[in-house]
Amino acid sequence: MEQGTPQSEQFSRDAWVAAALGLFESGGPKAVWVDSIAKSLQITRGSFYWHFANRADLLNALLERWTDEQTKRIISENEAQGGAPRERLLRLLKICAADDGRLELGIRDWAKEDGKARAVLQGVDKHRTHYLARLIEGCGLSKSEAEVRANLVYLSWLGLYSNAAVPNVDQRIQLMVDLCNIMISRGKTSE
């Protein structure tokens, strides 16, 4: 550290949030403590209070970062790459299936016990399924069929994380590609 430069300038809010996410991924919200993060960053806790009012403020920032990185950024980048709805849907599902799911499952477990996390998760789920439905509808299905199929795709993707029979990324991606092809076919999912 340069002489005369406070630690708070050396370690940004983003550095604290990134470190918190790393601890969260391995141990959930109970692993996210100021002392633990300071230790992982090899700094004192004084920098923390430069950026956050308290631990709750940090946990809110963690939820915001998760939402931005795992939903908004992915959708934005997928849209920026363009292509037909089927191409964008396949690309999205491959991106999602490539993730190991630890952070996703950690947020979902946390949301069972925490109202703020639950509200954020519900918003993310709604945003994601709406986007999936829009892509599926773009493949030629009705809006109502697209909504049903989007929910099926979404729940299937989440289920892959807990299925020990699908241990590797390539298998997860192939299952999502197969599911995509089924979901955009014109056969009815309901009577």
Side-chain angles (χ1 to χ4, degrees):
M1 178 167 54
E2 293 177 27
Q3 195 163 14
T5 304
Q7 281 185 331
S8 58
E9 290 179 16
Q10 292 291 315
F11 292 95
S12 67
R13 180 179 173 91
D14 285 343
W16 280 95
V17 175
L21 276 168
L23 290 173
F24 182 94
E25 195 169 10
S26 63
K30 293 177 176 130
V32 179
W33 291 98
V34 177
D35 289 336
S36 301
I37 298 168
K39 185 176 181 180
S40 74
L41 294 173
Q42 298 180 336
I43 60 173
T44 64
R45 26 180 312 140
S47 171
F48 174 83
Y49 295 104
W50 186 266
H51 301 293
F52 302 96
N54 52 36
R55 181 175 179 265
D57 190 21
L58 172 64
L59 291 173
N60 287 336
L62 184 147
L63 284 169
E64 185 178 314
R65 171 77 62 88
W66 172 73
T67 300
D68 289 346
E69 291 295 314
Q70 298 297 312
T71 300
K72 294 176 183 177
R73 181 188 56 80
I74 289 172
I75 290 172
S76 177
E77 288 177 3
N78 193 40
E79 286 298 303
Q81 289 182 39
R86 181 182 188 281
E87 182 182 348
R88 286 180 284 146
L89 180 60
L90 279 169
R91 186 172 47 237
L92 174 70
L93 295 176
K94 287 176 182 178
I95 290 166
C96 294
D99 183 69
D100 68 12
R102 287 183 298 165
L103 185 56
E104 183 75 28
L105 292 175
I107 296 287
R108 290 181 179 285
D109 283 344
W110 182 23
K112 293 173 189 174
E113 302 170 5
D114 183 90
K116 170 71 175 176
R118 185 172 31 262
V120 169
L121 178 61
Q122 288 169 342
V124 164
D125 285 347
K126 184 176 179 180
H127 188 84
R128 289 172 175 174
T129 55
H130 176 76
Y131 180 62
L132 282 168
R134 190 167 54 99
L135 292 176
I136 293 169
E137 186 178 0
C139 293
L141 284 98
S142 71
K143 182 175 180 149
S144 62
E145 278 295 308
E147 288 171 356
V148 168
R149 292 172 190 227
N151 281 301
L152 290 171
V153 168
Y154 192 62
L155 293 172
S156 296
W157 166 66
L158 292 173
L160 281 177
Y161 289 141
S162 60
N163 187 347
V166 188
N168 72 51
V169 172
D170 292 335
Q171 290 174 322
R172 286 195 310 264
I173 289 172
Q174 187 57 54
L175 279 170
M176 292 310 292
V177 168
D178 293 345
L179 179 64
C180 174
N181 289 327
I182 291 167
M183 286 299 145
I184 61 175
S185 70
R186 290 208 164 63
K188 295 283 185 189
T189 58
S190 61
E191 300 273 324

